[in-house]
């Protein structure tokens, strides 16, 4: 699976079912292993709001489905 495929999926919290946003970037370790994904909420007025990013580690990802990524945050 490519990172561009992951960027098309919504990230959903398992605790409350809330949509957290979409993956916008990844942070890699020097060895090339994924350290964490950067999730940014989708906002209509992104230019006027403060940039809120959420880091999601591989351990927090519980399921990658067809349309969504389920995480424990």
């Amino acid at each position: 699976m490519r990172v561009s495929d992951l960027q098309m999926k919504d990230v959903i919290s398992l605790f409350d079912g809330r949509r957290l946003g979409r993956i916008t970037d990844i942070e890699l370790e020097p060895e090339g292993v994924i350290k964490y994904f950067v999730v940014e909420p989708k906002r209509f007025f992104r230019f006027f709001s403060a940039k809120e990013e959420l880091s999601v580690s591989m351990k927090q990802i519980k399921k990658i489905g067809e349309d969504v990524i389920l995480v424990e945050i």
Side-chain angles (χ1 to χ4, degrees), residues 8-65:
M8 302 302 290
K9 301 175 188 294
D10 289 327
V11 179
I12 307 292
S13 170
L14 280 174
F15 290 121
D16 57 7
R18 189 169 43 110
R19 182 178 175 269
L20 301 174
R22 290 197 174 174
I23 293 175
T24 57
D25 201 3
I26 59 170
E27 181 73 27
L28 298 174
E29 293 183 12
E31 302 84 31
V33 178
I34 296 173
K35 193 173 183 179
Y36 60 85
F37 294 99
V38 177
V39 176
E40 187 175 311
K42 186 176 181 179
R43 305 213 180 217
F44 291 109
F45 300 106
R46 186 179 302 179
F47 300 111
F48 301 115
S49 63
K51 191 172 186 178
E52 298 175 16
E53 293 180 343
L54 178 66
S55 298
V56 178
S57 69
M58 290 297 290
K59 292 178 184 178
Q60 292 173 311
I61 296 176
K62 297 304 172 192
K63 177 94 174 166
I64 299 176

